[in-house]
Amino acid sequence: MAQMVHLPPMKPAPPLIDPGRMMPFVDPLPIPEGAKPIGKRMSPSGKAQIPFYRIPAREFFSKIHRDVPPTRFWGYGDSVPGPTIEARSGEEILIEWPNQLPAKHFLPIDHNLMGAEKGLPESRTVVHVHGARVPPESDGWPEAWYPPGKSATYRYPNRQDAAMLWYHDHAMGINRLNICAGMAGLYAIRDSFEDALNLPKGEYEIPLVLMDRMIGTDGQIYYPVSQFPDAPWIPEYNGNATLMNGKLLPYLDVEPRKYRFRILNASNSRFYFLSLGNGQAIQQIGTDQGLLPKPVNVPRLDVSPGERADVVVDFAEHRGQRILLNNLFAPLMQFRVGSRDVADPSALPAALRPIPPISATDAIRTRQLTLEEVDNLLGDPLVHLLDGKHWRDPVSEKPVLGTTEIWELLNLTEDPHPIHLHLVRFRILDRRPIDIDAQIYDRKVVYTGDAVPPEANEAGWKDTVRVSPGASTRIVVKFEGYAGRYVWHCHILEHEDNEMMRPYEVVAPAK
């Protein structure tokens, strides 16, 4: 007879706000301020003076809604999201990231997780610019954290195409808590090619950063814990309130003309399925690493954690209307279209940025790498692994700088995982269903259906890919930029903090 397992009761959640009962669209959508350099410093090469920024991480309070008390955040500068960094392709900058956080964390740390052992500073941090091609010492290595009172200065060469990147905390073992607390912001790279397309710009280019949070009636962020008192980690975090640029259910006044929206899913775990309430299609023009070859008509925009989407919405035919942006059937914000005719000198070209065709024959090797979930006796997730390995196992992926590889990601779990590779950009080749049991028990890849190419709006350069459950997802990657240690991981932050992150090393070619 099986022995009964007696668990302590779950700690009850505090009373949470109910967005469905709140007055919607009473707060304007905030637009993050632009970061400004505080001077110039000599570049590490010693050849030129380059812009120098100082962006501290600190605690502050901000109202997410007119009727909710101020919320405690940890963030960059004094806002969530933090200030937007604007850089030009090929123009190097330096950023100092001081840690000015309080000594004690206000969210629950699980000291069983890798890199979160007892005795470490609770409010340690390190910054990663997601999507940036940077030398390894400036990438935000998860174990290169530093405590309050310290800082790190990183170099960003910006030698890459125009794209909307983002920066966020990457401290080992508490990354999910720090980002949940608000530590994220946008990093835009511009170039002359994109400038010449005459897309909507200036006040007509709007960032939309989605972050869902559990918010109590006292206005404070709540992070639940497991039923195990000494192991509070939970496998996913999904909030009752989705914040848009730090506000709940905001509105945006728009003119009847084209707007460009730069969308980022900065949530810990939540996937978004976005659409306009009037049934109007969204024109997607770019993805994580820049522009698509041409606009793609998207009735519903799916965005995984860590992914970005660059879209254009034309309000010209909707004068005087109120249009909702929904996640499935739940409203996130409201567009209020003006009634007065306006000039619109911007363009939505039929052709955007040419992208060379991809071929599997360009790759010098294929790596088959598994995504796995190890359950405890109760059937709950205990740990998430990449290729069956833990963070501190020896490095097993060592691509050669300048070479191209195919990474075939085999998802043996029941959930999609957004997989992010640092340093590089890649293209999606295809997805294909597999026999999970054959892989688990016989270590054989058995395909159970045809390969399906990526959707048209995924056909550009990516740095984060949705890996479907029970399927193979193949990406083709050129390892260019720098030699050194980087990481690849799931961007569901709870998974990343519990072993679903691995180092890889780009090695210099033999002479």
Side-chain angles (χ1 to χ4, degrees):
M1 181 176 178
Q3 185 176 2
M4 294 289 291
V5 178
H6 297 283
L7 295 175
M10 294 283 288
K11 183 179 179 180
L16 301 176
I17 62 172
D18 181 356
R21 293 178 176 271
M22 301 180 69
M23 182 66 72
F25 320 129
V26 295
D27 295 296
L29 178 79
I31 307 299
E33 292 186 356
K36 295 179 174 57
I38 61 173
K40 291 194 172 184
R41 294 275 181 93
M42 183 62 66
S43 70
S45 66
K47 295 180 179 179
Q49 295 279 332
I50 59 176
F52 174 74
Y53 296 75
R54 191 172 190 269
I55 303 177
R58 52 194 177 206
E59 180 176 284
F60 54 88
F61 285 77
S62 179
K63 283 182 71 68
I64 65 167
H65 187 277
R66 183 195 67 184
D67 301 328
V68 176
T71 301
R72 172 168 54 176
F73 287 106
W74 286 7
Y76 299 100
D78 293 305
S79 66
V80 175
T84 298
I85 300 160
E86 292 263 355
R88 298 291 301 181
S89 180
E91 297 181 6
E92 189 173 26
I93 66 172
L94 292 171
I95 303 179
E96 181 186 5
W97 303 99
N99 184 346
Q100 298 177 0
L101 297 169
K104 185 171 179 57
H105 216 297
F106 70 97
L107 299 177
I109 297 174
D110 187 332
H111 296 294
N112 300 286
L113 300 183
M114 56 175 181
E117 294 81 9
K118 290 182 179 179
L120 298 177
E122 288 195 7
S123 51
R124 58 196 180 276
T125 185
V126 63
V127 179
H128 167 58
V129 176
H130 180 128
R133 185 185 298 170
V134 297
E137 61 272 15
S138 294
D139 188 54
W141 182 254
E143 293 178 304
W145 51 261
Y146 45 94
K150 301 294 185 180
S151 69
T153 300
Y154 286 168
R155 174 171 72 98
Y156 301 100
N158 300 312
R159 290 197 286 268
Q160 56 194 105
D161 292 342
M164 180 62 76
L165 315 180
W166 66 297
Y167 61 92
H168 59 79
D169 174 79
H170 217 280
M172 178 75 80
I174 57 170
N175 179 41
R176 74 199 188 287
L177 305 180
N178 288 351
I179 294 181
C180 185
M183 298 179 68
L186 293 168
Y187 188 114
I189 298 180
R190 312 286 188 181
D191 66 17
S192 57
F193 185 96
E194 183 184 272
D195 293 343
L197 295 175
N198 193 30
L199 295 164
K201 60 186 177 182
E203 63 182 308
Y204 305 107
E205 181 182 6
I206 307 290
L208 296 177
V209 179
L210 293 86
M211 298 176 165
D212 71 322
R213 298 291 181 267
M214 298 185 79
I215 303 291
T217 53
D218 61 354
Q220 303 315 303
I221 297 171
Y222 170 67
Y223 194 101
V225 297
S226 75
Q227 64 266 52
F228 303 101
D230 296 328
W233 173 85
I234 57 171
E236 281 95 24
Y237 176 88
N238 291 290
N240 60 307
T242 295
L243 308 183
M244 303 288 289
N245 294 358
K247 286 289 184 184
L248 176 64
L249 295 170
Y251 69 88
L252 177 67
D253 288 319
V254 296
E255 298 173 3
R257 53 156 290 161
K258 292 186 290 296
Y259 279 75
R260 184 181 186 185
F261 295 103
R262 312 300 291 268
I263 298 172
L264 160 65
N265 182 352
S267 296
N268 282 38
S269 303
R270 186 176 296 282
F271 292 66
Y272 289 95
F273 309 95
L274 305 176
S275 62
L276 295 172
N278 64 350
Q280 179 181 352
I282 297 168
Q283 299 290 321
Q284 185 167 352
I285 62 171
T287 184
D288 304 333
Q289 284 286 318
L291 294 170
L292 290 163
K294 61 182 180 181
V296 179
N297 210 24
V298 184
R300 191 186 80 177
L301 181 64
D302 299 356
V303 193
S304 304
E307 285 189 307
R308 284 86 69 211
D310 190 354
V311 307
V312 170
V313 177
D314 193 345
F315 297 104
E317 301 302 319
H318 304 282
R319 292 169 180 80
Q321 296 182 17
R322 302 290 186 264
I323 301 172
L324 297 180
L325 177 64
N326 295 323
N327 176 40
L328 295 177
F329 301 107
L332 299 177
M333 65 174 291
Q334 181 191 67
F335 298 109
R336 299 178 176 177
V337 187
S339 300
R340 186 167 54 91
D341 288 343
V342 296
D344 184 2
S346 69
L348 179 57
L352 296 166
R353 190 163 213 142
I355 296 180
I358 55 173
S359 171
T361 59
D362 296 334
I364 64 169
R365 67 173 297 171
T366 294
R367 301 180 190 267
Q368 291 181 328
L369 303 162
T370 58
L371 282 57
E372 304 174 35
E373 183 177 281
V374 180
D375 295 341
N376 61 25
L377 295 176
L378 302 174
D380 296 323
L382 180 65
V383 68
H384 300 267
L385 300 176
L386 295 174
D387 209 36
K389 300 180 179 69
H390 293 259
W391 167 256
R392 293 195 172 99
D393 288 336
V395 176
S396 49
E397 287 69 57
K398 296 184 178 181
V400 176
L401 183 65
T403 64
T404 299
E405 296 187 356
I406 292 172
W407 284 26
E408 184 173 13
L409 306 172
L410 305 168
N411 187 351
L412 309 184
T413 79
E414 297 179 352
D415 301 311
H417 295 273
I419 297 296
H420 170 49
L421 277 66
H422 287 212
L423 175 68
V424 295
R425 63 181 184 175
F426 54 76
R427 304 279 298 281
I428 303 172
L429 285 173
D430 51 46
R431 295 182 177 92
R432 194 173 185 182
I434 61 173
D435 184 329
I436 294 178
D437 288 342
Q439 177 63 37
I440 291 175
Y441 298 112
D442 301 324
R443 291 296 171 184
K444 292 182 179 179
V445 180
V446 177
Y447 301 107
T448 59
D450 295 332
V452 178
E455 299 292 334
N457 65 328
E458 289 186 303
W461 291 112
K462 299 277 292 169
D463 58 47
T464 306
V465 59
R466 172 183 49 81
V467 181
S468 300
S472 153
T473 299
R474 294 195 309 155
I475 60 174
V476 58
V477 191
K478 185 172 184 180
F479 293 89
E480 52 190 351
Y482 305 91
R485 288 186 315 168
Y486 295 90
V487 301
W488 65 290
H489 59 85
C490 177
H491 224 285
I492 294 176
L493 303 181
E494 283 67 32
H495 298 180
E496 173 189 342
D497 268 351
N498 194 2
E499 298 287 357
M500 208 168 194
M501 177 166 63
R502 285 283 295 153
Y504 79 92
E505 183 178 358
V506 180
V507 299
K511 295 182 179 179

